[in-house]
Amino acid sequence: MGLAKEIMGSSLIDRSSLSPFAPTSSKLSLVRRPVMVPLQQKNRGLRVGPVVAAISEDLVKKSRSSSSGNSSFAADKDEKRAAKFTMTARVTVRNKHKEDLKETFVKQLDAITDRIGRNIVLELISTQLDPKTKALRRSKTAVLKDWSKKSNIKAEKVQYSADFTLDSDFGLPGAITVSNKHQREFFLESITLEGFASGPVHFPCNSWVQSTKHHPAKRIFFSNEPYLPSETPPGLRALRERELKDLRGEGKGVRKLSDRIYDYDIYNDLGNPDKGIDYARPVLGGEKIPYPRRCRTGREPTYTDSNAESRVEKPSPMYVPRDEQFEESKKKTFSYGRLKAVLHTLVPSLKASISAENRGFNAFADIDVLYKEGILLKVGIQDEIWRLLPLPKVVTKIQESSEGLLRYDTPKILSKDKFAWLRDDEFARQAIAGVNPVNIELLKEFPPKSNLDPQIYGPLESALKEEHILGQLHGMSVQQALQEKKLFIVDYHDAYLPFLNRINALDGRNSYATRTIFFLTSQGTLKPIAIELSLPPSGPPSRSKRVVTPPVDATSNWIWQLAKSHVCSNDAGVHQLVNHWLRTHACMEPFILAAHRQLSAMHPIFKLLDPHMRYTLEINALARQSLINADGVIESCFTPGRYCMDISAAAYKNFWRFDKEGLPADLIRRGMAVPDSTQPHGLKLLLEDYPYAQDGLLIWFAIENWVRTYVNHYYPSSTMIINDTELQLWYSESVNVGHGDLSDADWWPKLETGEDLVSILTTIIWLSSAQHAALNFGQYPYGGYVPNRPPLMRRHIPEQGDPEFENFHADPQKYFLSALPSLLQATKFMAVVDTLSTHSPDEEYIGNRQQMSIWSGDAEIVEAFYEFSAEIQRIEKEIDRRNNDPSLRSRCGAGVLPYELLAPSSEPGVTCRGVPNSVSI
C-alpha cells in the first residue's frame, strides 16, 4: 500500500455529494430509477486540504525568491493577486514503426509547420470552477516543445514537454485538452504533471489525436483519479457529460475511420445481394431473427436490397472507432497471418481450378506432407510455374527465400502421439480438455429427449436403447449408472436437425445431428459407448436414426471412426458458431458499446472493464468482413455452409442466457457440478478430472474476489448503486438496446446491490478473458490436423445395400479420407485457425494491464490489483503442478497433452496457452 501511494500520491480534492440525475432511457425494466437520497462521503485514504496546498512548497519558495526584489507597491498588489508558477508536463507519444511515402512526407511537413506555429496545443482544466465566474478554470495554453527536432527519432516512444503557467490557487488539474494543429494524427500515450504537493498528476491517454483540420473539437483527457458521477468535482462535470455526448454521436451519417463514435446496428452486412441471390443473407437482429447488436458504420444500403448494408471488402478497412483499431504490432501479426492464409490457400485453389474435381486427400501421408515438405510439393506446382504466376513481389520474395510460410506447423495434437486422435479415450478426453469442453452434460434420463416441436420436425424419439449401452457399463444397469451419475452426453441433435435438409442439399455437404453417450470409468476417465446419428424423418425410420457402438471387427471399426468424425464435425460447428463466436464475441459487443457510450473514462467501472474491451470491436468487424460473411471462411469450411449464421441465431434465441454464462452457473446448468458448501468454492465437480472446469474455477473465483474488492470499495451501500446514473444507464442500454431482442426475458439479472454488480462484472470479465481463451487458442493445436477434428463432412456413412457400401468395403481408408474436407477446404481452414490461434507480441494477459502503477489514481485499488496479479501467478503454478500429476489422466500420461489453455501467460505465437484480458483475436 505504501509503495502505491508513494508512486501516485493522494488526491487533495474533497469529493462532492452531487445528487445524480434520473436516467433518460425509456425502457428500464431491469434497473430502478435513482432514489434521491444523500450519499455518504467515503474516506478512501485521501487527504483533504485547501486548494492552495495543491502547489508544492518548493515552487512557492522559488516564486518568493524570484519576486523578492520587487517594490513594496508591487508586493502589496501581489498579495491581492495569486502568484504564478510554471509547471512542466511530460508527454509521451508513441511512434509508428513503419510509414509509407505519403506518411513520411506529411510527417516532415508537420515538422516544418510546427516551427511556424502549427503546434500541438495543451490546456489544463482545474477540478474547481472559477469562484467568481463559475466557469471552467483553465490554464493558459502551452505548446509541445521540440516536435520538429525530435521528428526523426526512431524510438518506439518519444517524450516531449510543455510548460504551463498557473496561478497558485488554480487547484488540482482534473483534465487536459489537446489540439493537434498538424496534418497527421498521433498516438498520445500519457501526460504527467510534476510539482504538486500530492505528487505527480497522471493522465493515461492511450488514444489517437486527430488533426483539427478533420476534427476541430479539442480532445479531452481526464486524470487517473476515479470519480462516481455524484462525486465529480465541479470543474469536470460539464466536460464529463460533453465527452460522453461526443462518443455517442447522433446516429446519423457514414462513419469515417478517424471517428470515435460508438453506436448500434443490426447484422445486415453479412450478405452482398448486389453480387447475386447466392450472396444474399438474412438480416440478424430484430423480431424475426433475434441477435445481439453490432457497431454501427452507417454505410449506404445495397442497390438491390435497401435493408442490406453495402459491404467493404478486404483489404479496405471496416469502421470501428479509431481507438479500437489494432495497434501496429497487433496489426502486423494479423497481417502476417492473413498473408500465410493467402499463400496456403492460393496454390491449392489454383490446382483445384486446373483440376476437373475439387479433390481430397488420397492417403494420410498426403496430409503429413503439408507439415514436412510444404504445400507446393504437395500439389505439384514447381518453382518455375510459381515464378510465372502474377503474384505480388513480396510473395515471390518469400518463396525465393524460404518455404516457411508455405509449410504448416505441426499441430500439437501430433506432437506427443501421432495416432492419439484415433483412440476412443482421446476422443472422450477432448470433450473435457480440448478446444470445446463446454458442451458435455450429465445424462439425466435415458433415452435422451428432444426439445424440438414434433408438429414441425416429426417424431423425435431417440433410437438409443438400453441394449446399445448395457454391455459397456461394467456390470451396472442403465438406471444404476444414471443414479450414480456415470453417464454423460454431448448432444447436438436439436442444434442441427432443423437445418439438416437445407445443409444436406448443399453441394459437398452431408451431415447428421449427433448424440454421443460417455461412461465414467472407475479410473475417472470417460469412454464413448454409443453414437446416435439422426436425419430429418423424411424416409423410413430405420434410415433417419442410426446408432453406432464401439467396434468389434474391422468393418465396424471404420464405421465407428466415421461416426466419431461426424460428431467432431457437429462439435466444430457448434464450437465456432455458438460457443466461440456468439457467446464470447457477439454477445460481448453490446456491453462494450454501452460502456463507451454511458460510462465516463473517470468512472471506476469503466477503468475496471477497460482492459477487457481491447480490440474486440475490431476483431468482430474483421469477422463480419471475411469470416462469417456470405461465402466467407466459416461458410466455406464448416458443415452448415450458408446456414452457419442461422444456427448461431437459433442458439441465441433458444439457448443463450446471460445469467447462465458465468462458469459456476454453466457447470450447474449442465449437471457437471452441484452446490456444496464443504468444497473450497462451494461447488463440487461430478467429474473430478475435468481440466477446463478445474482450472476455470480457480480463475473465476480469482476474478470474482478482485471484482468484489473493487465494487465494495466504491459502493459500500446498495443505495449508491441505484443512484449511479452512468452505471444504471450502461446496464440498461446493454440489455434493452444491445440485447434488445431478448430484453423482455425474465432471467436478466437485476442491478440493485453490490453482489448484483459483482456477478454481472465477473461474468463479463470471465467471458472476455478465460472463456474466450479456452475456446480460441487451441483451434490450430487440435484442429490443424483435420482428421482429428474435421470442420465439415462430405459423405454419410454407408449401410449395407447402399451403392457406396461396396466402395467403402473395398477401400475404407479412401472412403474415410473422401468424407473429410477437400484439399482446398482443409488448407483454407488450417490457415485461418492458425491465425486465430496466434498471440501477438503486444498481448495483455490476465493479471496485467497497461501502465500498471498509474491506471488508477486510487492507491488502495492499485494495491488490490497487484494482489490479484499475484493470485493469477499462483494459479499458473498450480496448473503446472496439475499437468504433472499422473493421477489426473485427462491431462497427464503417455502421449497425453497437458491442459494449458487456461494457463494465464504465454509467449507470442501459437502456444495452446495464455489468457489475454480481452477477446482480441
Side-chain angles (χ1 to χ4, degrees):
M1 174 66 72
L3 176 62
K5 287 186 177 178
E6 185 177 338
I7 292 173
M8 297 177 301
S10 303
S11 173
L12 298 171
I13 302 303
D14 185 7
R15 302 174 183 232
S16 73
S17 56
L18 176 71
S19 296
F21 300 100
T24 56
S25 173
S26 61
K27 190 175 185 183
L28 291 170
S29 60
L30 298 171
V31 297
R32 294 184 177 179
R33 289 190 176 275
V35 179
M36 296 306 179
V37 296
L39 300 181
Q40 296 176 350
Q41 285 285 63
K42 300 185 299 299
N43 182 2
R44 299 180 190 146
L46 304 179
R47 283 201 313 259
V48 179
V51 174
V52 70
I55 306 298
S56 71
E57 291 184 9
D58 289 343
L59 284 179
V60 174
K61 291 175 182 176
K62 288 180 183 178
S63 174
R64 286 173 177 169
S65 63
S66 64
S67 60
S68 59
N70 291 343
S71 67
S72 60
F73 175 79
D76 291 340
K77 192 173 182 180
D78 282 345
E79 286 179 4
K80 298 177 182 179
R81 292 188 309 183
K84 296 187 180 296
F85 304 93
T86 299
M87 290 195 171
T88 299
R90 290 185 286 107
V91 180
T92 303
V93 172
R94 192 181 304 166
N95 271 340
K96 287 186 176 180
H97 295 151
K98 287 188 176 181
E99 298 171 339
D100 57 29
L101 190 61
K102 181 181 177 181
E103 287 178 317
T104 302
F105 173 76
V106 175
K107 179 180 177 180
Q108 296 303 321
L109 183 63
D110 282 341
I112 294 170
T113 58
D114 187 83
R115 297 173 186 169
I116 57 174
R118 296 197 61 82
N119 315 104
I120 309 296
V121 181
L122 287 71
E123 182 183 50
L124 292 177
I125 298 174
S126 173
T127 54
Q128 302 302 312
L129 295 173
D130 186 292
K132 294 180 180 179
T133 65
K134 303 302 179 183
L136 296 183
R137 176 172 280 183
R138 304 173 183 269
S139 71
K140 291 183 178 179
T141 57
V143 171
L144 217 59
K145 295 191 293 188
D146 297 330
W147 186 278
S148 58
K149 291 181 181 179
K150 297 181 178 181
S151 62
N152 291 320
I153 293 178
K154 301 299 183 184
E156 179 184 0
K157 299 178 183 180
V158 181
Q159 286 221 339
Y160 299 91
S161 63
D163 293 331
F164 291 96
T165 301
L166 302 178
D167 293 336
S168 60
D169 60 352
F170 182 81
L172 199 67
I176 189 165
T177 65
V178 181
S179 297
N180 176 12
K181 296 183 180 180
H182 292 168
Q183 299 287 315
R184 189 168 174 257
E185 66 176 5
F186 70 93
F187 189 85
L188 179 58
E189 185 171 283
S190 64
I191 300 172
T192 300
L193 282 169
E194 305 280 1
F196 290 91
S198 59
V201 179
H202 298 285
F203 296 82
C205 305
N206 297 305
S207 180
W208 290 96
V209 180
Q210 302 300 320
S211 168
T212 53
K213 178 180 178 182
H214 305 294
H215 295 266
K218 297 176 181 179
R219 283 296 308 280
I220 303 168
F221 296 100
F222 298 106
S223 77
N224 64 351
E225 187 67 31
Y227 296 106
L228 295 175
S230 60
E231 299 175 324
T232 310
L236 304 182
R237 290 172 194 164
L239 293 178
R240 183 171 188 146
E241 293 175 11
R242 177 185 138 190
E243 175 72 355
L244 285 174
K245 184 179 178 181
D246 289 345
L247 291 170
R248 286 193 287 267
E250 297 179 351
K252 299 176 183 178
V254 179
R255 298 272 63 86
K256 298 179 294 185
L257 292 175
S258 58
D259 285 346
R260 296 172 55 246
I261 295 176
Y262 297 78
D263 205 354
Y264 302 93
D265 210 340
I266 53 179
Y267 280 73
N268 61 349
D269 63 342
L270 300 182
N272 190 353
D274 290 346
K275 288 180 68 175
I277 190 66
D278 288 341
Y279 292 89
R281 293 295 181 270
V283 172
L284 305 184
E287 187 176 347
K288 187 176 180 182
I289 307 179
Y291 212 65
R293 297 300 184 261
R294 61 158 173 102
C295 183
R296 180 184 177 275
T297 67
R299 297 192 303 269
E300 296 295 326
T302 60
Y303 293 110
T304 54
D305 184 354
S306 61
N307 294 318
E309 188 173 88
S310 57
R311 286 188 53 77
V312 173
E313 304 295 351
K314 58 183 182 183
S316 298
M318 295 268 281
Y319 170 77
V320 294
R322 181 64 181 100
D323 290 339
E324 305 301 319
Q325 296 171 28
F326 287 165
E327 292 179 19
E328 206 163 1
S329 61
K330 178 75 171 182
K331 192 179 295 183
K332 182 179 178 182
T333 300
F334 195 79
S335 299
Y336 176 83
R338 270 188 166 178
L339 177 59
K340 285 173 69 176
V342 168
L343 293 175
H344 279 138
T345 57
L346 173 67
V347 178
S349 182
L350 288 169
K351 184 67 176 179
S353 66
I354 295 169
S355 174
E357 58 180 83
N358 187 9
R359 68 183 182 86
F361 299 100
N362 293 320
F364 286 104
D366 292 346
I367 304 174
D368 296 340
V369 167
L370 297 175
Y371 315 115
K372 294 178 180 177
E373 300 177 23
I375 204 166
L376 295 188
L377 184 61
K378 167 70 192 77
V379 296
I381 295 182
Q382 304 302 318
D383 287 352
E384 55 270 20
I385 299 177
W386 172 266
R387 289 190 174 90
L388 292 174
L389 295 175
L391 301 174
K393 289 182 180 179
V394 64
V395 176
T396 308
K397 280 184 180 179
I398 290 168
Q399 168 60 12
E400 289 173 351
S401 61
S402 169
E403 286 189 356
L405 284 176
L406 298 176
R407 186 184 299 115
Y408 289 90
D409 294 328
T410 301
K412 202 166 185 178
I413 186 63
L414 302 179
S415 64
K416 286 193 140 190
D417 183 349
K418 183 178 179 181
F419 302 105
W421 68 276
L422 287 165
R423 299 197 316 265
D424 285 357
D425 64 288
E426 177 62 21
F427 172 76
R429 191 193 73 84
Q430 289 187 33
I432 57 174
V435 71
N436 188 39
V438 299
N439 277 103
I440 190 167
E441 302 177 64
L442 178 71
L443 184 61
K444 298 176 182 177
E445 59 180 341
F446 188 89
K449 293 182 179 179
S450 169
N451 292 317
L452 297 175
D453 186 349
Q455 298 296 321
I456 300 174
Y457 300 105
L460 297 168
E461 289 77 14
S462 172
L464 284 160
K465 307 295 181 186
E466 288 197 9
E467 54 263 31
H468 289 129
I469 66 172
L470 201 55
Q472 303 286 329
L473 302 183
H474 295 202
M476 290 185 180
S477 68
V478 173
Q479 193 59 36
Q480 184 183 1
L482 287 172
Q483 290 175 348
E484 295 189 18
K485 297 180 170 50
K486 296 287 187 181
L487 294 177
F488 296 84
I489 185 171
V490 172
D491 190 346
Y492 296 128
H493 180 276
D494 290 4
Y496 275 88
L497 194 74
F499 303 95
L500 277 185
N501 280 332
R502 284 174 283 172
I503 291 171
N504 290 338
L506 298 172
D507 185 37
R509 300 290 206 281
N510 282 291
S511 184
Y512 299 99
T514 66
R515 288 186 177 114
T516 308
I517 308 295
F518 297 91
F519 177 70
L520 179 61
T521 70
S522 58
Q523 286 79 33
T525 57
L526 295 174
K527 71 171 185 176
I529 58 175
I531 294 172
E532 182 183 32
L533 307 168
S534 297
L535 293 169
S538 54
S542 62
R543 304 291 291 183
S544 63
K545 292 188 185 295
R546 178 179 182 180
V547 176
V548 181
T549 53
V552 295
D553 56 25
T555 301
S556 60
N557 180 69
W558 280 105
I559 290 175
W560 179 246
Q561 292 298 340
L562 280 165
K564 289 195 296 181
S565 293
H566 274 283
V567 171
C568 289
S569 174
N570 272 196
D571 188 76
V574 170
H575 161 260
Q576 196 67 264
L577 302 170
V578 180
N579 299 331
H580 181 208
W581 165 255
L582 173 67
R583 295 171 68 184
T584 68
H585 283 259
C587 286
M588 287 299 97
E589 188 157 346
F591 291 100
I592 294 170
L593 291 170
H596 286 280
R597 289 167 53 85
Q598 301 297 347
L599 295 176
S600 167
M602 288 188 282
H603 200 292
I605 301 304
F606 185 90
K607 291 180 180 292
L608 174 70
L609 290 176
D610 188 35
H612 305 290
M613 303 188 290
R614 187 180 187 226
Y615 291 153
T616 303
L617 297 186
E618 170 82 338
I619 196 62
N620 285 4
L622 290 169
R624 299 201 318 274
Q625 185 176 45
S626 58
L627 292 180
I628 62 173
N629 60 303
D631 202 35
V633 171
I634 301 298
E635 287 193 2
S636 301
C637 296
F638 286 83
T639 291
R642 64 177 295 149
Y643 305 108
C644 280
M645 294 308 291
D646 297 76
I647 287 180
S648 181
Y652 181 67
K653 178 182 178 181
N654 301 320
F655 169 79
W656 186 82
R657 291 180 50 159
F658 182 77
D659 65 324
K660 302 296 184 184
E661 287 296 279
L663 179 59
D666 178 57
L667 291 171
I668 292 170
R669 168 173 62 176
R670 292 190 282 119
M672 301 302 291
V674 293
D676 186 341
S677 60
T678 67
Q679 297 297 309
H681 301 301
L683 208 65
K684 180 182 179 182
L685 292 175
L686 298 187
L687 188 61
E688 292 183 8
D689 187 9
Y690 185 0
Y692 159 78
Q694 283 182 310
D695 296 356
L697 286 172
L698 293 178
I699 295 178
W700 168 272
F701 285 106
I703 294 171
E704 185 182 61
N705 288 337
W706 154 237
V707 171
R708 181 172 288 111
T709 298
Y710 196 95
V711 167
N712 290 343
H713 182 72
Y714 291 105
Y715 299 98
S717 71
S718 296
T719 301
M720 296 183 68
I721 288 176
I722 293 171
N723 271 2
D724 187 334
T725 51
E726 288 184 8
L727 182 72
Q728 294 291 340
L729 286 171
W730 163 69
Y731 186 56
S732 175
E733 188 174 280
S734 298
V735 175
N736 294 319
V737 181
H739 287 282
D741 301 335
L742 300 182
S743 61
D744 291 333
D746 60 6
W747 42 255
W748 282 102
K750 304 288 186 184
L751 180 51
E752 298 173 349
T753 68
E755 280 306 300
D756 293 342
L757 182 56
V758 169
S759 176
I760 291 165
L761 294 173
T762 302
T763 299
I764 290 172
I765 294 171
W766 160 260
L767 291 170
S768 301
S769 57
Q771 180 78 328
H772 178 259
L775 295 168
N776 183 74
F777 293 103
Q779 289 191 81
Y780 187 79
Y782 282 98
Y785 186 66
V786 169
N788 177 60
R789 193 173 167 76
L792 66 83
M793 294 294 284
R794 296 192 292 160
R795 286 190 168 190
H796 283 137
I797 303 173
E799 298 188 55
Q800 279 193 313
D802 291 346
E804 287 191 324
F805 188 81
E806 290 305 317
N807 294 331
F808 161 73
H809 198 268
D811 193 342
Q813 176 179 293
K814 183 177 180 180
Y815 189 93
F816 179 86
L817 290 169
S818 70
L820 299 181
S822 68
L823 170 65
L824 176 57
Q825 290 166 332
T827 52
K828 187 175 186 178
F829 169 76
M830 291 162 63
V832 170
V833 295
D834 176 61
T835 301
L836 298 180
S837 303
T838 301
H839 290 293
S840 64
D842 72 335
E843 202 86 88
E844 291 177 10
Y845 297 96
I846 190 165
N848 290 281
R849 58 182 298 160
Q850 290 183 358
Q851 298 161 320
M852 280 274 284
S853 62
I854 64 165
W855 64 272
S856 173
D858 193 323
E860 290 182 41
I861 284 301
V862 171
E863 193 76 14
F865 185 77
Y866 278 116
E867 292 172 6
F868 169 64
S869 181
E871 177 61 18
I872 292 297
Q873 293 175 39
R874 287 190 288 270
I875 289 172
E876 181 150 10
K877 291 178 180 178
E878 172 61 15
I879 291 173
D880 290 342
R881 186 199 67 76
R882 290 174 176 179
N883 284 327
N884 289 284
D885 184 348
S887 69
L888 300 175
R889 292 180 172 87
S890 294
R891 62 201 305 162
C892 181
V896 175
L897 292 182
Y899 186 72
E900 297 180 306
L901 285 168
L902 288 173
S905 68
S906 174
E907 297 296 321
V910 180
T911 62
C912 202
R913 63 176 291 142
V915 179
N917 276 323
S918 62
V919 178
S920 59
I921 189 67

